[in-house]
Amino acid sequence: MEESKLELEYVKELLEQRKYAELRDMLKDQNPIDVAQLLGEVPDEKLLLLYRMLPKEDAAEVFSEMEHDEQETLIRAFNDREIREVIEEMYVDDAVDMLEEMPAVVVNKILRHADVETRKEINELLKYPEDSAGSVMTTEYMSLKSDMTVADAFERIRRTADEKEDIYTCYVISPSRKLEGTVTLKEMFLTSKDTIIGDIMETNIISANTLDDQEKVAKDMAKYNLTTIPIVDQENRLVGIVTVDDAIDVIQEENTEDIEMMAAITPTDKPYISTGFFETYKKRIPWLLILMISATFTGAIITKYESALGKYVILTAYIPMLMDTGGNAGSQASVSIIRGISLDEIQFSDIFRIQGKEFLVALLCGATLAVANFAKLLFIDKVSVVIAAVVCATLLLTVIVAKFVGCSLPILAKKVGFDPAVMASPFITTIVDAISLFIYFQFASHILGI
Amino acid sequence: MEESKLELEYVKELLEQRKYAELRDMLKDQNPIDVAQLLGEVPDEKLLLLYRMLPKEDAAEVFSEMEHDEQETLIRAFNDREIREVIEEMYVDDAVDMLEEMPAVVVNKILRHADVETRKEINELLKYPEDSAGSVMTTEYMSLKSDMTVADAFERIRRTADEKEDIYTCYVISPSRKLEGTVTLKEMFLTSKDTIIGDIMETNIISANTLDDQEKVAKDMAKYNLTTIPIVDQENRLVGIVTVDDAIDVIQEENTEDIEMMAAITPTDKPYISTGFFETYKKRIPWLLILMISATFTGAIITKYESALGKYVILTAYIPMLMDTGGNAGSQASVSIIRGISLDEIQFSDIFRIQGKEFLVALLCGATLAVANFAKLLFIDKVSVVIAAVVCATLLLTVIVAKFVGCSLPILAKKVGFDPAVMASPFITTIVDAISLFIYFQFASHILGI
């Protein structure tokens, strides 16, 4: 990171001093992805100037790795030839990704310059719903016929590889484009040239449907160690492939989404740093409002015991500790379960086993905390044994309830079709707060007789 | 998932009825990864029996995809020939992964049966520190010389591909094994057979060092869309490659680690579901204790204002709402920042920009919440305007402080070398609780004159 900052300063310096030959030289030796990142940091008005200094063979790749904001700036400034070059050189899935984020006027400007074939492919892909396998796939895969020999296949690959995003797993299709098998280039290398593809192809294929959730597709690729996965339509006709680099992006997006939901934020695709403050506000305020209103119930419990609290104000001092510990104990359980569900390690049928385990963990945690706290109450706070007993009994019971609620709610949420990630810290904390206060006052009124 | 459950029942049924021919038939048509998962669910005493029914060509692959517990059970039961077959068929990196988790007696049993070459490679890899690039790499890459022609390269690939984990990106090395360049099989396909490798190889190489953190390596692979990355030693000699399937595993592990730390759990590599209750207890209790002790300060603030609270017990009713809202507002900010840092989107130099944005977001959130709450206090709770003013002023200020603390601490933690994920909800909540109560009583004592 520090390196690219340094480069940026250097590039700005060269720009200012109009040392264009040097700049061109420097840009030539860089990885296109680093160049794309660098272009993201120069001022908009210098973007086109710098872009035009790129070696022609790198320009389209740099372009397709840039953020959508900068792509839009460039497209608005491009001449016709530049638009044509970029759209024809980009992989179709990258082009579709970009078009999905552009205003209609820019989309039209681009499509007007694409050739008929490209335009048709792009329009097909634009039809798939957001977050579906169809929306992240590319149509640039390598297809073979089962009656070809390996030599035929090699010849076909040699002729068409240039426009394919992946050629290492080839897809064998029937005349009606039904997916019949897969064969890797490695397998073809390891056999003789006159072997018939149909004889060596793998027919037990992991595939996905165009309408499958992209998250499921990415997880399957991770599970089965695939670098590409075939995407078929309802009639099992091959329509595209998803490549592993896109699968990794999907995995990271889904992780971000889970983490945001766990922190009571409405998830979006946009990175934090490039999201405006008003948009950030809109993602956060609904949850804060809902949780604030939920916390009202906790307040109502206190109000109910107002007169008792008037007599034993010392009880108030331990409310924050009880609430925080309950909340933390509950989130530990809920977050462990949410992650387990997200990694497909936990099923609904595990619920009793999990509750049993969490009960044991809670008993141990609760007892440890209660003992530590009892000592502190007696020797440091010097409260009466009765008060200490009320606080510590509440603590133990709160931890047990918190872990029980924390581990159960995400599994139940998943069962009824909600996203388990909602059942994380903020939600659990609100529930556990109310329960722990209720327990507290129950103990207090019975033991202290108020 | 449901499918594999069904299969399991069916397999158990066939086992019970000793229908071994049918079982063998069923196992033959399955994906090795599904079989490995299934074997993880059958009772240990049936494991060897089922394993021996696998088609010989699948057995080693199924074995290397199994969980370490089951691998150990099998190895203890294997005869000499079975051990030899498995260890020679497994990819070296998978073998090392497995050996790292086995007790010494099992490791010795395995190494005794490996051939000299394999044993040497395994021992080399076992030397690298945990979580380093060296510990996840494989030595089974395809190397070429720069003076070879494409035809020579094809010939070499054909001869040696069988024992390589990846052949699609080939690594060009000097006689002293220094990494000189990379060339993909696709590039070789697209050029004539008498082209010299040195003329088409890419010399601007993204590589990693054996001692680099595996997380950095995985992130670089994701960033540069690589399916393999070369790993070099201090003298730039090629010693191995990391493949993208392992990089995805690393990414998922690191995500789990971040999420666990955010929920105040000491992270481990082991899935929740296979972790015993005592181990789970040990991962959770230290943080609960630390956070409980921290919450003591919050209690101390209440104790200090005990007499005031005695006069205005109604103030107590709003403590949970203020604490929860502050905690939630703070975690929204901290978790957004922690994720941004983890995705390399946020640097230390962004701190002022972020604080400025969070201040605006906090102002909007705080004002919205305060207005909503003011109305509720007056019209539903029917408290006096003065009490409502104290509560809502505290609310606004708490949200501002919470977001400020929440966004700043993770960045500062990163700067001084701590893991930013520690600065998530539980920690922020504890700090914000104390601050919000302090603000509350300050307002109360000034406005209510207590």
Side-chain angles (χ1 to χ4, degrees):
Chain A
M1 272 311 167
E2 292 308 313
E3 270 173 49
S4 101
K5 294 271 168 200
L6 278 178
E7 265 175 39
L8 177 66
E9 290 317 307
Y10 185 49
V11 165
K12 280 186 179 165
E13 220 180 278
L14 292 179
L15 267 175
E16 221 149 277
Q17 301 166 0
R18 296 171 188 269
K19 293 189 173 165
Y20 297 145
E22 262 176 68
L23 252 177
R24 197 163 307 182
D25 239 39
M26 206 199 79
L27 289 171
K28 199 181 58 188
D29 295 331
Q30 302 293 326
N31 183 298
I33 290 163
D34 291 327
V35 177
Q37 199 173 329
L38 184 107
L39 291 186
E41 293 170 51
V42 301
D44 271 6
E45 64 276 14
K46 299 286 184 198
L47 201 51
L48 187 64
L49 178 68
L50 267 176
Y51 182 83
R52 285 182 173 157
M53 287 182 197
L54 296 177
K56 205 164 172 297
E57 65 275 18
D58 284 357
E61 195 180 343
V62 169
F63 183 85
S64 76
E65 294 291 342
M66 290 169 66
E67 297 288 332
H68 297 313
D69 290 352
E70 277 95 39
Q71 287 177 332
E72 191 180 331
T73 309
L74 275 179
I75 288 174
R76 288 180 185 275
F78 273 171
N79 60 36
D80 292 356
R81 187 183 45 79
E82 280 167 329
I83 292 185
R84 204 173 313 121
E85 275 169 10
V86 151
I87 194 68
E88 293 303 330
E89 280 296 317
M90 272 175 104
Y91 286 121
V92 180
D93 54 342
D94 292 334
V96 170
D97 269 2
M98 174 183 80
L99 289 174
E100 278 172 341
E101 303 295 325
M102 299 281 146
V105 48
V106 178
V107 173
N108 286 335
K109 183 171 176 186
I110 297 170
L111 287 181
R112 224 175 24 242
H113 291 94
D115 72 25
V116 183
E117 191 56 36
T118 311
R119 192 159 58 227
K120 207 179 124 215
E121 275 177 45
I122 289 176
N123 278 325
E124 276 302 316
L125 290 180
L126 279 172
K127 272 188 229 146
Y128 293 105
E130 207 187 345
D131 295 345
S132 69
S135 76
V136 286
M137 74 184 182
T138 177
T139 50
E140 293 156 318
Y141 53 84
M142 183 61 69
S143 64
L144 301 175
K145 304 282 175 203
S146 62
D147 56 1
M148 284 178 169
T149 61
V150 167
D152 296 338
F154 278 170
E155 185 43 41
R156 183 174 155 78
I157 292 170
R158 220 179 296 275
R159 230 178 39 239
T160 60
D162 198 24
E163 58 210 46
K164 304 301 180 191
E165 196 164 336
D166 182 275
I167 62 162
Y168 302 131
T169 302
C170 302
Y171 295 94
V172 184
I173 54 176
S174 74
S176 60
R177 306 200 66 77
K178 291 222 198 288
L179 180 60
E180 295 181 325
T182 64
V183 57
T184 64
L185 209 48
K186 183 173 175 178
E187 284 151 359
M188 290 192 260
F189 257 95
L190 286 172
T191 185
S192 76
K193 292 226 169 152
D194 47 12
T195 307
I196 303 293
I197 294 294
D199 294 341
I200 53 167
M201 70 185 183
E202 171 67 73
T203 52
N204 183 5
I205 313 163
I206 311 285
S207 68
N209 192 283
T210 46
L211 298 178
D212 282 348
D213 189 328
Q214 59 175 0
E215 184 178 5
K216 187 192 162 292
V217 177
K219 278 186 188 168
D220 275 352
M221 293 186 73
K223 178 176 172 187
Y224 295 106
N225 300 335
L226 305 173
T227 48
T228 59
I229 190 170
I231 309 295
V232 296
D233 65 12
Q234 309 299 338
E235 278 85 45
N236 197 35
R237 281 186 304 243
L238 183 64
V239 286
I241 57 170
V242 172
T243 52
V244 69
D245 53 323
D246 293 326
I248 294 178
D249 291 345
V250 168
I251 287 174
Q252 286 292 45
E253 269 170 37
E254 299 292 338
N255 278 319
T256 304
E257 208 169 278
D258 272 7
I259 290 173
E260 287 182 332
M261 286 181 67
M262 285 188 213
I265 303 171
T266 312
T268 55
D269 292 347
K270 221 167 161 181
Y272 170 84
I273 200 82
S274 50
T275 309
F277 78 92
F278 194 70
E279 215 172 320
T280 304
Y281 161 74
K282 283 193 296 181
K283 283 163 62 180
R284 295 185 185 174
I285 190 68
W287 295 96
L288 287 178
L289 270 171
I290 292 171
L291 292 164
M292 186 179 81
I293 292 164
S294 316
T296 308
F297 296 105
T298 318
I301 294 175
I302 294 187
T303 313
K304 199 178 155 224
Y305 290 90
E306 209 177 307
S307 62
L309 270 182
K311 267 185 275 174
Y312 288 95
V313 182
I314 179 76
L315 288 180
T316 315
Y318 300 107
I319 291 180
M321 184 277 291
L322 289 170
M323 281 174 48
D324 280 355
T325 307
N328 291 331
S331 351
Q332 286 182 333
S334 70
V335 166
S336 299
I337 303 301
I338 292 168
R339 186 65 181 159
I341 293 175
S342 161
L343 294 174
D344 287 334
E345 289 163 3
I346 292 175
Q347 322 298 327
F348 182 72
S349 54
D350 297 319
I351 187 164
F352 297 118
R353 202 171 127 209
I354 287 171
Q355 286 174 336
K357 173 167 140 184
E358 286 296 335
F359 178 75
L360 287 176
V361 175
L363 213 58
L364 282 177
C365 286
T368 311
L369 295 172
V371 168
N373 211 30
F374 197 78
K376 185 230 164 205
L377 286 168
L378 288 190
F379 302 120
I380 300 178
D381 297 0
K382 301 196 194 305
V383 302
S384 68
V385 176
V386 192
I387 297 277
V390 168
V391 172
C392 294
T394 305
L395 188 57
L396 174 62
L397 206 55
T398 297
V399 171
I400 294 176
V401 171
K403 295 239 181 252
F404 184 81
V405 171
C407 77
S408 306
L409 284 190
I411 305 185
L412 295 174
K414 169 85 180 174
K415 184 71 180 175
V416 297
F418 285 116
D419 192 321
V422 173
M423 298 298 166
S425 317
F427 196 82
I428 300 286
T429 299
T430 307
I431 296 179
V432 170
D433 280 356
I435 297 177
S436 76
L437 275 182
F438 180 75
I439 298 173
Y440 195 30
F441 290 123
Q442 284 298 316
F443 274 125
S445 58
H446 283 95
I447 301 181
L448 298 173
I450 49 179
Chain B
M1 270 312 170
E2 292 307 311
E3 270 172 49
S4 100
K5 294 272 167 197
L6 278 178
E7 266 176 38
L8 177 67
E9 291 316 307
Y10 185 49
V11 166
K12 280 186 180 164
E13 220 180 277
L14 292 179
L15 267 175
E16 222 149 276
Q17 302 166 358
R18 295 171 187 270
K19 291 188 173 165
Y20 297 146
E22 262 175 68
L23 252 177
R24 197 162 309 182
D25 240 38
M26 207 200 79
L27 288 171
K28 199 183 56 188
D29 295 331
Q30 302 293 325
N31 182 297
I33 290 163
D34 291 328
V35 177
Q37 199 173 332
L38 183 106
L39 290 185
E41 293 170 51
V42 302
D44 272 6
E45 64 275 15
K46 298 288 184 196
L47 201 50
L48 188 64
L49 178 67
L50 267 176
Y51 182 83
R52 286 182 172 158
M53 287 182 197
L54 296 177
K56 205 165 173 297
E57 65 276 17
D58 284 357
E61 194 180 343
V62 169
F63 183 86
S64 73
E65 293 292 342
M66 290 169 67
E67 297 289 332
H68 298 314
D69 290 351
E70 278 95 41
Q71 287 177 332
E72 190 179 331
T73 309
L74 274 180
I75 288 173
R76 288 182 186 274
F78 273 170
N79 61 35
D80 291 357
R81 188 183 46 78
E82 281 166 328
I83 292 185
R84 203 171 315 120
E85 275 169 9
V86 151
I87 195 68
E88 294 302 331
E89 281 296 317
M90 272 175 105
Y91 286 121
V92 182
D93 55 341
D94 293 335
V96 170
D97 268 2
M98 175 183 79
L99 290 173
E100 279 172 341
E101 303 295 324
M102 299 281 146
V105 48
V106 178
V107 174
N108 286 335
K109 184 171 176 187
I110 297 171
L111 288 182
R112 223 173 28 241
H113 291 94
D115 72 26
V116 184
E117 191 55 36
T118 311
R119 192 160 58 228
K120 205 178 125 216
E121 275 178 45
I122 289 176
N123 278 325
E124 277 301 316
L125 289 180
L126 279 171
K127 271 188 230 145
Y128 293 105
E130 207 186 344
D131 295 345
S132 69
S135 76
V136 286
M137 74 185 182
T138 178
T139 49
E140 293 155 320
Y141 53 84
M142 181 63 67
S143 64
L144 301 175
K145 305 281 175 205
S146 61
D147 56 2
M148 284 178 168
T149 61
V150 167
D152 296 337
F154 278 170
E155 184 44 39
R156 182 173 158 80
I157 293 171
R158 219 179 297 276
R159 230 177 39 239
T160 59
D162 198 23
E163 58 209 46
K164 305 302 181 191
E165 196 164 336
D166 182 275
I167 62 162
Y168 302 130
T169 302
C170 302
Y171 295 94
V172 184
I173 54 176
S174 74
S176 60
R177 306 201 65 76
K178 291 218 200 289
L179 180 59
E180 296 180 325
T182 64
V183 57
T184 64
L185 209 48
K186 183 172 174 179
E187 284 152 358
M188 290 191 260
F189 257 94
L190 287 172
T191 185
S192 77
K193 292 225 169 151
D194 47 12
T195 307
I196 303 294
I197 294 294
D199 294 341
I200 55 166
M201 71 185 184
E202 171 66 73
T203 52
N204 182 4
I205 312 163
I206 311 286
S207 68
N209 192 282
T210 46
L211 298 178
D212 282 348
D213 189 327
Q214 59 175 2
E215 184 178 5
K216 186 192 163 293
V217 177
K219 278 185 188 169
D220 274 352
M221 293 186 73
K223 178 176 172 188
Y224 294 106
N225 300 334
L226 304 174
T227 49
T228 59
I229 190 170
I231 309 295
V232 296
D233 65 11
Q234 308 299 337
E235 278 84 44
N236 196 35
R237 280 187 304 243
L238 182 65
V239 286
I241 58 171
V242 172
T243 52
V244 69
D245 53 322
D246 293 326
I248 293 179
D249 291 344
V250 168
I251 287 174
Q252 285 293 45
E253 268 170 38
E254 299 292 338
N255 278 319
T256 303
E257 208 169 278
D258 272 6
I259 289 173
E260 287 182 332
M261 286 180 69
M262 284 189 214
I265 302 171
T266 312
T268 56
D269 291 348
K270 220 167 162 181
Y272 169 84
I273 199 82
S274 50
T275 310
F277 77 92
F278 194 71
E279 214 172 319
T280 304
Y281 161 75
K282 282 193 297 182
K283 281 163 62 181
R284 295 184 185 175
I285 190 68
W287 295 96
L288 287 178
L289 271 172
I290 292 170
L291 291 165
M292 185 179 82
I293 293 164
S294 316
T296 308
F297 296 105
T298 318
I301 295 174
I302 294 187
T303 313
K304 199 177 154 225
Y305 290 89
E306 208 176 307
S307 62
L309 269 182
K311 266 185 276 173
Y312 286 95
V313 181
I314 180 75
L315 287 180
T316 315
Y318 300 107
I319 291 180
M321 183 277 292
L322 288 170
M323 281 174 49
D324 280 354
T325 307
N328 291 331
S331 352
Q332 286 181 332
S334 70
V335 166
S336 298
I337 303 302
I338 292 168
R339 186 64 182 161
I341 293 176
S342 161
L343 293 174
D344 287 335
E345 288 162 4
I346 292 175
Q347 323 298 327
F348 182 72
S349 55
D350 296 320
I351 188 164
F352 297 119
R353 201 171 127 208
I354 287 172
Q355 285 173 337
K357 173 166 139 183
E358 285 296 336
F359 178 74
L360 287 176
V361 174
L363 212 59
L364 282 177
C365 285
T368 311
L369 295 171
V371 168
N373 212 31
F374 198 78
K376 184 225 164 207
L377 286 168
L378 287 190
F379 302 119
I380 300 179
D381 297 0
K382 301 196 194 305
V383 303
S384 67
V385 176
V386 191
I387 297 278
V390 169
V391 172
C392 293
T394 305
L395 188 58
L396 174 63
L397 206 56
T398 297
V399 170
I400 293 176
V401 171
K403 296 240 182 250
F404 183 80
V405 171
C407 77
S408 306
L409 284 190
I411 305 184
L412 295 174
K414 169 84 181 176
K415 184 70 181 174
V416 297
F418 286 116
D419 192 321
V422 173
M423 299 297 167
S425 317
F427 196 81
I428 299 286
T429 300
T430 307
I431 296 178
V432 170
D433 281 355
I435 298 177
S436 76
L437 275 181
F438 180 75
I439 298 172
Y440 195 32
F441 290 123
Q442 284 298 315
F443 274 125
S445 58
H446 284 95
I447 301 182
L448 298 172
I450 49 179

